[in-house]
Amino acid sequence: MAAKFFIPAVNVLGQGALDDAIGDICTLGFKHALLVTDQPLVDIGLVTQVTSKLQQQDIQATVFAGVQPNPTVANVNAGLALLTQHQCDFVISLGGGSPHDCAKGIALVATNGGSIKDYEGVDVSTKPQLPLVAINTTAGTASEMTRFCIITDESRHIKMAIVDKNTTPVLSVNDPELMLKKPAALTAATGMDALTHAIEAYVSIAANPITDACAIKAIELIAAHLESAVNDGNNIAAREQMAYAQFLAGMAFNNASLGYVHAMAHQLGGMYDLPHGVCNALLLPYVQAYNAQVAAPRLADVAKAMGVNTQGMSADMGAQGAITAIKALAKAVNIPASLTELGVNPEDIPTLAANALKDACGFTNPKQATHEEICQIFTHAL
């Protein structure tokens, strides 16, 4: 069976990557960027740092800082209006997954027309988006290099999964210096998000040897460095290794796709506006317990990558080792222990489950579930 591998044409990683990337942006020949970001990055001066570097190269930047933590259709529309008003010829996203996803939505609609709602699903668009440069500031979502775009539809209270080759940025930037001093809770949530990407890609029915290699290395790096990054936000070595880890996890899931953890987490985010990484971290062990029915050997590999001594273990024992290791890491970085702590109402579970089964991320889960089974997984995580 043929496989496709999607990745931005240019990816700049490591300390000092931002300065190198400014030169790459200049070679693209664009003159006026819509810079999509959020207000906290404006407040700490990071947006000014980037716009100043652009101005030194005679590139104008109009700033749209209205992105919410779970970007909405309204956010996309507001950014698109600003882009049109200022006749911007390309888009820069600066931040974590939310600015990247919002920027993708803006850039896609800018060239394809209509509403971002029109592009829910897989490869719905017909034209490449307006060129997008994605500058990353967190080690987690990998949205800076993927074809995934998650936008909340406020009217339906769901997160739309837009999986489209035309949302792939032309250039991604991962400079760990931009990730320093991020709050411990954000570092933990985004790191567990990256772990979820790697594990879901590894057990996906669309996995291949390339995605496997990326996923396993990502898991090893996250197991080794996430706690250090959480405990010391200025640990540049840990930050850099986490930047590589989340990028590798992105390479894996961008091509092998995901599973029910993301399909279910999207519904929690859409209904309750909860942090995506925290939802993933809470659901991850329970979904993998379900997947162990068919993917125990793969989960045993995950256990080994997380540092579990699997020698002499059966596949089932190894899978249990992975689930235990996932829970231990989540506890070590202070992820909430249950969905109940996040305010999830058990009465909403049937609706959450029904919507999760429609989410494109679940199509590559190793075992397809019934509505009752998804309800059970949600219930176990309460």
Side-chain angles (χ1 to χ4, degrees), residues 78-101:
L80 182 64
L82 201 59
L83 179 146
T84 303
Q85 177 187 345
H86 292 273
Q87 298 182 319
C88 301
D89 56 356
F90 77 120
V91 180
I92 296 175
S93 56
L94 176 65
S98 296
H100 299 320
D101 283 359

Side-chain angles (χ1 to χ4, degrees), residues 318-337:
Q320 185 55 54
I323 293 163
T324 300
I326 291 165
K327 289 181 177 179
L329 181 57
K331 183 178 181 180
V333 297
N334 298 314
I335 296 293

Side-chain angles (χ1 to χ4, degrees), residues 59-71:
I59 299 173
Q60 288 183 269
T62 295
V63 175
F64 172 62
V67 180
Q68 298 173 215
N70 289 308

Side-chain angles (χ1 to χ4, degrees), residues 206-355:
N208 61 55
I210 299 174
T211 62
D212 285 352
C214 294
I216 288 295
K217 187 61 180 179
I219 294 166
E220 291 174 352
L221 290 173
I222 293 165
H225 298 287
L226 178 56
E227 284 189 66
S228 297
V230 170
N231 293 333
D232 179 5
N234 288 317
N235 186 332
I236 189 68
R239 292 289 191 186
E240 185 162 40
Q241 292 305 305
M242 283 301 301
Y244 278 109
Q246 69 92 36
F247 189 89
L248 285 163
M251 290 175 68
F253 90 82
N254 196 36
N255 298 282
S257 196
L258 294 160
Y260 284 143
V261 180
H262 274 77
M264 295 168 69
H266 288 159
Q267 313 320 314
L268 294 171
M271 182 170 288
Y272 300 104
D273 197 27
L274 294 170
H276 176 66
V278 173
C279 294
N280 276 342
L282 276 167
L283 291 168
L284 181 59
Y286 299 102
V287 173
Q288 299 321 309
Y290 173 80
N291 288 339
Q293 298 172 74
V294 297
R298 292 235 136 196
L299 288 168
D301 293 342
V302 169
K304 183 178 179 181
M306 293 190 73
V308 177
N309 182 359
T310 58
Q311 187 172 2
M313 286 188 179
S314 66
D316 289 339
M317 291 171 62
Q320 185 55 54
I323 293 163
T324 300
I326 291 165
K327 289 181 177 179
L329 181 57
K331 183 178 181 180
V333 297
N334 298 314
I335 296 293
S338 69
L339 294 179
T340 300
E341 289 185 36
L342 301 181
V344 175
N345 186 344
E347 294 181 1
D348 292 332
I349 285 178
T351 299
L352 293 167
N355 289 334

Side-chain angles (χ1 to χ4, degrees), residues 131-184:
L132 170 63
V133 173
I135 303 173
N136 202 28
T137 64
T138 63
T141 71
S143 184
E144 83 284 352
M145 53 79 63
T146 71
R147 60 195 173 108
F148 283 69
C149 171
I150 309 300
I151 303 294
T152 297
D153 181 349
E154 312 96 303
S155 63
R156 292 184 290 162
H157 301 288
I158 66 165
K159 282 189 172 185
M160 299 182 294
I162 298 159
V163 186
D164 197 313
K165 61 182 180 294
N166 286 328
T167 67
T168 305
V170 297
L171 171 67
S172 81
V173 184
N174 272 283
D175 189 333
E177 292 177 359
L178 302 181
M179 302 174 185
L180 296 174
K181 300 181 180 179
K182 293 297 186 297

